[in-house]
Amino acid sequence: MKRMELRRCKEFSRAKWRRRRRRRWTGDSGDRGSRSVRTKVKKLQRLIPGAKGLKPDWLFLRTADYILQLRLQVNILQALSKIYGPSH
């Protein structure tokens, strides 16, 4: 009985180790991960007006400001559509 439990425990730990090893090699780690972040930062720089060449910390601040500006525009357009809606 104890032998069987010991064998199950060993098999379980082997399987767990295999899963960990597999995750480590298939995930975004090391250089590949930082390359992915750089690519995303460059895409964001292209999306945000006036953000080309900004460092990431300033880019995120500019992005937050741009999002607020877009929200304000949406609110203004919604208000205008209520005023000049379908009745006019």
Side-chain angles (χ1 to χ4, degrees):
M1 181 107 164
K2 288 223 181 219
R3 262 189 174 170
M4 193 173 219
E5 288 176 17
L6 187 60
R7 184 183 300 157
R8 282 184 187 165
C9 185
K10 284 182 180 180
E11 287 174 8
F12 177 74
S13 64
R14 268 192 225 128
K16 194 174 176 182
W17 177 253
R18 272 190 229 117
R19 266 186 263 134
R20 276 187 188 163
R21 191 172 30 184
R22 196 178 313 135
R23 263 191 227 132
R24 188 174 0 141
W25 293 110
T26 58
D28 269 353
S29 61
D31 189 38
R32 194 175 352 154
S34 63
R35 198 174 329 135
S36 170
V37 170
R38 271 187 255 126
T39 303
K40 290 174 183 175
V41 166
K42 286 188 184 214
K43 284 181 184 178
L44 187 59
Q45 284 175 334
R46 279 188 251 129
L47 281 173
I48 307 300
K52 195 170 188 176
L54 285 179
K55 292 182 179 180
D57 51 347
W58 287 102
L59 174 64
F60 297 137
L61 289 172
R62 178 74 55 96
T63 302
D65 288 341
Y66 187 60
I67 290 170
L68 290 175
Q69 178 187 352
L70 290 174
R71 281 187 184 165
L72 180 63
Q73 285 180 2
V74 167
N75 291 340
I76 290 170
L77 290 172
Q78 285 175 338
L80 287 173
S81 71
K82 286 180 183 177
I83 294 170
Y84 300 106
S87 64
H88 286 89

